[in-house]
Amino acid sequence: MSLATLLVLADGRLPSGGHAHSGGLEPQVSAGRVRDLAAVAEFLRGKLATTGLVAAAFAAAACDRPARSPGLDEGFDARTPSPALRKASRAQGRALLRAARAMWSLPPVGRDPHQPVALGVVAAAAGLTPLEAAVAAAHGTVSGTASAAVRLLGLDPYAVHGLLARLAPECDRIAADAAARAEDPIDDLPAAGAPLLDVGAELHATWEVRLFAS
Amino acid sequence: MKASSRVVAEPDGLGGTRLAVLRSESPLLLRRTGPTMVHLVGGGAGPLRGDDLRLEVEVAPGATLEIRSVAAQLTLPGRAHLPQSRLTIHATVGGTLRWLPEPLIAAAGCDHVTVTCVEVLPGGSVLWRDDLVCGRHGEDAGDFRAETTIRYAGRTLYRHDLSIGPSAPGWSGAAVLGGGRALGTVVAVPGTLLPPPTSGPGDFAVMPLAGPGALATAVGADIRPVRAALDPLTRPVLIHS
């Protein structure tokens, strides 16, 4: 375990393409559902409790046993009904692997695994634990979206980072829950869904002009 | 209250379907209402806290079954010291199953979980609809959780949990239901039972799953837009006996 290594992996400046994605926020801003800081806070809370928990669990499970990643990848597919979100997740997984290959020695893993599965495999290669992989996944779920909120809504970046600080204990709790279940059968891993993220991603994918890829 | 109900549909050898088993316990009462149609008839209030209900459905290859309900399922609080109420549905489908019940209404103060596991055998076909209303009119939603697994030919095709109510962080935020008070989903195996992928109007999309199936999702301020989006996808079809 290395805290500095965890910071390197979880750093928003890691060149893995995360900045191109709004985590589902852009279509909800466009629909008029998210206009202010309070709505961003509720969006982040809901996202963390659903797709954040799932990402943390799959990252922890892939870190625990990287050899299980093909099955985990299928399990993540089954939890991602939106084809636009499957595509976005695989693109981010591929970009993360590309960056990570220059950083650590990775075991064989599919070409474009889902992002949380890739994150778990990379975390294991970096010598991190499943809990650390889960923390990085949970935090990454909300931090990318928070910075997208600043750009989409012109919010005060200090206030948005205040939200992230207040969500940190919840990220820790979710990561601990996810890591405790890392060895569960894949069907028993968390599967918390967020219907508006699915529906919004499908609508967003049809736009000709958009700021973010997803 | 504990109850266990079971229905088994088999081909009758003459091109139709016979119900080899139709056994029910209150409050999960099953009534045959047509050659290939069974209705769930509420045999009591609830589910209430402490209830443990189980429904088993088997549709053999060559058989056809449609299950509906006569009224919405209203989950209610019950006594606070009792465990959460639970409905477990297990279906094994080699033939054709259409599951089209009325909505579940999660009344304020309820604490209910519905666990659904559908095993579709190779060649089987399923249309599985679930509608949810978050609280009665003008009322907050209670705690409700749906855990749904749909498998095809031994592989998990769709795995989705949904939690709403005071214990579910951010459920009414714009990631989950966005202030919407109704949600409907239809899972189809094979996916060709639904129209081609589309999105809109409103919060509605038809999405091809990664495996041989599709999902239609609709979110609405109340159940009306959900019905308007999903009813055309689950229109009654003429099923010959």
Side-chain angles (χ1 to χ4, degrees):
Chain A
M1 161 181 163
S2 155
L3 285 178
T5 302
L6 174 60
L7 292 178
V8 170
L9 180 61
D11 192 329
R13 287 162 293 188
L14 183 75
S16 60
H19 63 279
H21 298 267
S22 78
L25 185 66
E26 188 172 23
Q28 301 308 331
V29 167
S30 166
R33 278 203 186 92
V34 180
R35 293 196 171 106
D36 56 17
L37 194 69
V40 172
E42 275 306 282
F43 183 89
L44 293 178
R45 267 161 50 84
K47 188 170 159 71
L48 184 58
T50 55
T51 56
L53 172 62
V54 173
F58 276 70
C63 181
D64 181 57
R65 276 171 59 197
R68 209 160 59 131
S69 53
L72 289 166
D73 207 61
E74 254 185 58
F76 199 85
D77 258 348
R79 286 159 178 77
T80 315
S82 154
L85 289 183
R86 290 196 296 274
K87 191 175 158 199
S89 168
R90 290 191 181 283
Q92 291 178 83
R94 186 169 57 236
L96 174 60
L97 289 183
R98 191 187 307 133
R101 280 200 182 95
M103 299 157 76
W104 300 291
S105 172
L106 302 186
V109 55
R111 201 176 81 86
D112 52 355
H114 281 298
Q115 198 273 351
V117 177
L119 182 59
V121 171
V122 168
L128 296 171
T129 64
L131 177 62
E132 290 165 324
V135 168
H139 172 70
T141 300
V142 287
S143 61
T145 304
S147 80
V150 173
R151 288 157 72 185
L152 286 166
L153 291 164
L155 295 174
D156 171 9
Y158 296 132
V160 171
H161 250 73
L163 294 179
L164 285 181
R166 286 191 288 283
L167 280 172
E170 187 62 8
C171 281
D172 281 335
R173 199 192 61 72
I174 277 180
D177 180 17
R181 297 163 72 174
E183 292 174 33
D184 284 3
I186 291 168
D187 270 359
D188 296 346
L189 291 175
L196 283 179
L197 290 183
D198 295 334
V199 171
E202 289 305 295
L203 184 64
H204 186 257
T206 66
W207 295 358
E208 282 183 16
V209 179
R210 54 190 188 225
L211 196 53
F212 290 93
S214 79
Chain B
M1 195 175 255
K2 262 188 181 318
S4 177
S5 299
R6 184 160 181 253
V7 54
V8 178
E10 294 177 347
D12 63 3
L14 305 166
T17 293
R18 71 186 187 99
L19 299 185
V21 176
L22 186 63
R23 194 196 67 209
S24 48
E25 293 177 353
S26 186
L28 272 185
L29 298 177
L30 296 163
R31 293 288 179 262
R32 186 171 195 168
T33 49
T36 59
M37 175 93 81
V38 163
H39 271 75
L40 274 162
V41 182
L48 302 166
R49 221 182 267 261
D51 284 356
D52 188 4
L53 314 176
R54 186 173 176 86
L55 174 64
E56 283 192 47
V57 180
E58 273 179 58
V59 183
T64 294
L65 182 65
E66 178 165 323
I67 302 179
R68 290 179 173 262
S69 59
V70 296
Q73 188 183 5
L74 179 66
T75 60
L76 291 164
R79 294 191 195 157
H81 67 280
L82 292 172
Q84 69 177 172
S85 54
R86 186 180 182 88
L87 168 62
T88 307
I89 305 169
H90 194 274
T92 306
V93 186
T96 297
L97 174 66
R98 289 160 54 83
W99 169 262
L100 305 170
E102 294 300 305
L104 180 147
I105 302 171
C110 77
D111 185 6
H112 179 77
V113 60
T114 297
V115 179
T116 301
C117 184
V118 183
E119 292 272 359
V120 188
L121 307 178
S125 102
V126 168
L127 210 54
W128 193 275
R129 178 165 174 179
D130 281 307
D131 286 8
L132 167 68
V133 178
C134 306
R136 287 170 290 196
H137 185 70
E139 172 186 77
D140 287 340
D143 282 318
F144 167 71
R145 183 174 169 78
E147 301 179 2
T148 305
T149 306
I150 298 192
R151 294 165 57 80
Y152 180 76
R155 297 172 90 135
T156 302
L157 174 67
Y158 176 73
R159 182 72 190 81
H160 191 270
D161 296 349
L162 178 76
S163 299
I164 63 148
S167 304
W171 74 272
S172 60
V176 185
L177 293 184
R181 284 293 174 266
L183 166 74
T185 54
V186 183
V187 181
V189 183
T192 48
L193 295 177
L194 289 179
T198 183
S199 64
D203 295 305
F204 166 66
V206 178
M207 298 168 268
L209 299 175
L215 168 73
T217 296
V219 177
D222 55 40
I223 195 67
R224 282 169 295 185
V226 171
R227 287 202 155 124
L230 299 187
D231 282 358
L233 311 183
T234 59
R235 284 259 151 76
V237 291
L238 193 63
I239 299 169
H240 298 284
S241 59

